Amino acid sequence: RDRLLRLAAATTALGEALVAQARRHVSTVMPDYTYLQPATPTSLAHYLLSFAYPLLRDLERLEGAFARTNECPGGIGNINGTRLPVDRAKLARLLGFDRAIANTRDAMWQVDQPIELMAQVTMLLLHLDRLAEDLQIWNTAEFGLVELADRHARISMIMPQKKNPYSLAFIRGMTGAVTGRLASMTAVGKTPSAQMDNRIFALGEVPRTLDKAAETVELMAGVVGGLTFDTKLMRERAGRGFTWAMDLAETIMTEGGVPYRAAHRVVGLAIRETLDRDPQAQRIPVDVLASAAREVLGRELKLSARSLAA
């Protein structure tokens, strides 16, 4: 129970760190990437909060797991009760549990709790891993969008010019390790209902995993709080790669009376022809858009110059 509370506290602190960074970057424009390609403009705050909301779901799951962990197996005797005068409800209260587990045989042979806890830790760390992978890519010289605080990095052991994002690698590695432990707990639990001995492997693995998970989440909270973003470069990148193409297609659909699939084809063809003319181009010439519309739609595109400019 103490370990679950520590993990929940660490998760809350990570959420607060994400919100604090988001508050500083409400107006920071950046490109959102899909498949590591610039997709649409967004704000850094919106991006960061996309990792905060999953933590709220993680906290809900931890709360449910804590409630189930906070049931007392005490007084069950030899599986099916005891002749001794044990008041199980009172025993549970004295030991600080919410209630006693109702069915004594279930109390003895529960198999779902280790699997549930390991699954929830895995899910939580997967949320961290996704952010860690993004940051590790953004931290490369090729992207150059973010820098980790020195305390969350280390120098290369052989190349003195390198600042390696070691904390991110650690978080990703821990996620992989815990994913393997989830499979292990599932395999250990696959037994007849009244067989206990092979479950001894869960007795140490679960508390150790909860400890390491809490340390990992605490580390990630520190990493998030120490991030420095190149906001100027983010804004510049947000305008590259035709990231407004979807907006143009939607405008053609809503104002030009064109189905979105056709509007999508018009814009895609116009971008291809623009890049054929000039591989460095970032804007579609009006004549190219008109030509693409005639090829796809078989008619002129009815769209005001003001809408196009917007």
Side-chain angles (χ1 to χ4, degrees):
R1 289 180 294 178
D2 287 343
R3 288 176 165 92
L4 281 172
L5 290 175
R6 179 189 173 189
L7 182 57
T11 303
T12 302
L14 173 56
E16 290 171 344
L18 286 164
V19 170
Q21 278 283 21
R23 281 201 182 101
R24 290 192 282 271
H25 292 287
V26 172
S27 299
T28 299
V29 179
M30 60 163 276
D32 205 348
Y33 294 94
T34 62
Y35 293 91
L36 298 182
Q37 301 176 52
T40 64
T42 187
S43 74
L44 180 53
H46 188 64
Y47 169 84
L48 291 170
L49 292 180
S50 74
F51 296 96
Y53 280 95
L55 298 182
L56 294 175
R57 298 192 293 274
D58 288 321
L59 286 169
E60 288 179 1
R61 283 186 280 263
L62 287 173
E63 188 175 16
F66 183 86
R68 286 180 286 277
T69 303
N70 208 18
E71 295 181 346
C72 182
I76 64 175
N78 185 18
I79 308 173
N80 296 311
T82 174
R83 291 173 56 87
L84 301 176
V86 176
D87 183 338
R88 295 191 62 230
K90 181 178 180 180
L91 178 61
R93 288 195 304 272
L94 290 173
L95 291 175
F97 289 90
D98 286 342
R99 64 189 65 84
I101 299 175
N103 186 286
T104 57
R105 193 172 191 274
D106 174 51
M108 183 69 176
W109 304 118
Q110 281 186 7
V111 71
D112 52 322
Q113 187 196 44
I115 299 173
E116 177 188 26
L117 294 179
M118 207 67 74
Q120 293 189 0
V121 169
T122 300
M123 181 63 69
L124 171 58
L125 293 188
L126 278 173
H127 290 147
L128 273 61
D129 178 89
R130 293 169 66 240
L131 176 57
E133 293 202 32
D134 282 3
L135 293 175
Q136 190 164 342
I137 292 167
W138 288 11
N139 183 244
T140 61
E142 288 73 15
F143 273 73
L145 297 180
V146 70
E147 183 178 1
L148 274 65
D150 288 351
R151 63 184 178 276
H152 299 128
R154 67 167 176 80
I155 194 168
S156 167
M157 288 184 289
I158 194 168
M159 290 164 283
Q161 85 282 9
K162 291 183 73 235
K163 178 180 177 181
N164 290 333
Y166 178 75
S167 56
L168 301 178
F170 178 86
I171 291 164
R172 295 177 63 193
M174 183 56 63
T175 304
V178 170
T179 302
R181 292 172 193 171
L182 170 60
S184 174
M185 290 301 100
T186 304
V188 166
K190 188 178 178 299
T191 67
S193 65
Q195 184 171 315
M196 179 83 174
D197 290 347
N198 59 322
R199 292 175 60 211
I200 61 173
F201 298 100
L203 301 182
E205 201 64 61
V206 171
R208 280 195 297 270
T209 299
L210 289 173
D211 283 340
K212 297 305 293 184
E215 292 172 8
T216 304
V217 177
E218 290 164 356
L219 172 62
M220 188 53 140
V223 169
V224 169
L227 293 174
T228 302
F229 297 95
D230 189 334
T231 58
K232 183 179 179 181
L233 182 58
M234 282 183 163
R235 176 175 285 276
E236 179 187 337
R237 294 265 178 87
R240 295 183 192 172
F242 300 93
T243 54
W244 38 262
M246 182 179 70
D247 298 287
L248 176 59
E250 288 179 349
T251 300
I252 292 173
M253 177 185 69
T254 57
E255 298 191 20
V258 176
Y260 187 77
R261 183 176 182 180
H264 185 286
R265 291 177 61 198
V266 168
V267 175
L269 178 59
I271 291 173
R272 181 195 296 173
E273 292 181 355
T274 298
L275 292 174
D276 285 344
R277 284 189 184 183
D278 178 7
Q280 303 302 319
Q282 295 297 325
R283 294 176 180 273
I284 300 174
V286 174
D287 66 305
V288 172
L289 183 63
S291 172
R294 285 193 296 270
E295 181 171 337
V296 174
L297 305 176
R299 61 175 174 84
E300 296 294 330
L301 183 64
K302 296 179 180 179
L303 200 63
S304 69
R306 176 178 294 182
S307 295
L308 264 179

